[in-house]
Amino acid sequence: MSRPKLSEKDQLRKLIRVRVNDRVYERLMSLQKQTDCRSICELARRILSKERITLLHKDISMNGVMEELALIRKELKAIGVNINQQTHYFHRSQRVAERAFFTKKTEGLYLEVDNRVTLLLKIVDQLAQKWLQK
């Protein structure tokens, strides 16, 4: 798939070459890594045209929380897959005893979901208290 054509207004018309020393180049490289710009050229164009540059900031204090949230998400997904499988087996079973077995087993999984959601809500509450302070 080819890149869409730029409008007449957005087409780049003139080539400007700039030479910088190593110190300025390193500063531009470090700034580019912190922004949404994909290249140093794009960063330089935005600086010259006084366009907005979005700086990206990563809060390392959130690493542990994000890992825990990702783990909870993974567990909830696995439990959901198990519930879907057991529901499928429940509908395929003919005997009442089998249906009772799958019902009881699925009930245990729903209790696990309840525990994980409670933990998730507790974490979200702590995050809200931290980030929504007045």
Side-chain angles (χ1 to χ4, degrees), residues 24-79:
V24 173
Y25 185 75
E26 291 297 325
R27 196 172 77 207
L28 283 173
M29 288 225 353
S30 67
L31 183 61
Q32 183 261 328
K33 290 177 184 173
Q34 298 172 5
T35 66
D36 62 338
C37 297
R38 290 172 285 193
S39 67
I40 293 178
C41 296
E42 182 180 353
L43 177 65
R45 273 194 296 273
R46 286 189 186 184
I47 291 171
L48 288 172
S49 62
K50 296 182 181 176
E51 290 181 30
R52 179 177 294 222
I53 298 172
T54 305
L55 289 175
L56 306 173
H57 175 73
K58 182 179 179 185
D59 186 3
I60 59 172
S61 68
M62 297 295 291
N63 285 352
V65 175
M66 293 308 292
E67 287 176 9
E68 192 171 353
L69 289 174
L71 180 65
I72 291 172
R73 179 181 179 270
K74 185 178 177 182
E75 290 173 349
L76 284 173
K77 183 176 179 182
I79 292 170

Side-chain angles (χ1 to χ4, degrees), residues 15 23 33 36 48 63-64 70 74 79 81-82 87 106 114-115 127:
L15 174 66
R23 186 174 55 84
K33 290 177 184 173
D36 62 338
L48 288 172
N63 285 352
K74 185 178 177 182
I79 292 170
V81 168
N82 289 344
T87 303
T106 305
D114 185 44
N115 293 337
L127 288 174

